[in-house]
Amino acid sequence: QVQLVESGGGLVQAGGSLRLSCAASGRIFMINDMGWYRQAPGKQRELVASITITGSTNYADSVKGRFTISRDNAKNTVYLQMNSLKPEDTAVYYCNMGPHYWGQGTQVTVSS
């Protein structure tokens, strides 16, 4: 079974940066859509950013201009570069590949 392993979360001060990675441990091919979701305490999970196999990207308005999603198809990996982090970015971040594969979540905490 395909497993997605996330890394790169942690504690950072407001204005800082983090880079999240999510790699598929098994073979996964021809996944058009990859993305990152997050769930903040007491809130619903929301889409943060997505990227197609051709590199087209989409971002939530709240992160546009600060976050950058990218992918390496040869490595079955999707990344999320997060800059100018704000306390409201604090959440558990989940990577997604296609309609069925999800990461275990990685905690991102931004202190003020």
Side-chain angles (χ1 to χ4, degrees):
Q1 294 288 329
V2 172
Q3 297 184 60
L4 305 186
V5 180
E6 301 182 22
S7 62
L11 175 64
V12 66
Q13 290 185 317
S17 298
L18 286 173
R19 181 177 172 85
L20 305 183
S21 299
C22 177
S25 62
R27 292 179 179 178
I28 185 169
F29 302 98
M30 300 299 292
I31 300 297
N32 184 59
D33 296 313
M34 296 183 178
W36 290 91
Y37 294 73
R38 69 185 181 188
Q39 186 168 23
K43 297 182 179 180
Q44 297 296 111
R45 184 167 59 184
E46 64 176 348
L47 176 66
V48 177
S50 63
I51 184 169
T52 71
I53 196 168
T54 61
S56 297
T57 58
N58 187 44
Y59 297 93
D61 288 341
S62 60
V63 307
K64 192 172 297 183
R66 300 187 298 119
F67 290 10
T68 303
I69 188 171
S70 61
R71 62 190 284 174
D72 185 335
N73 292 325
K75 296 181 179 180
N76 292 328
T77 301
V78 62
Y79 307 92
L80 186 67
Q81 179 67 46
M82 304 184 292
N83 298 326
S84 302
L85 283 161
K86 304 174 180 179
E88 50 262 47
D89 295 318
T90 295
V92 177
Y93 284 70
Y94 300 89
C95 68
N96 166 260
M97 297 186 185
H100 303 299
Y101 302 110
W102 292 87
Q104 81 284 357
T106 185
Q107 177 70 46
V108 171
T109 302
V110 185
S111 65
S112 59

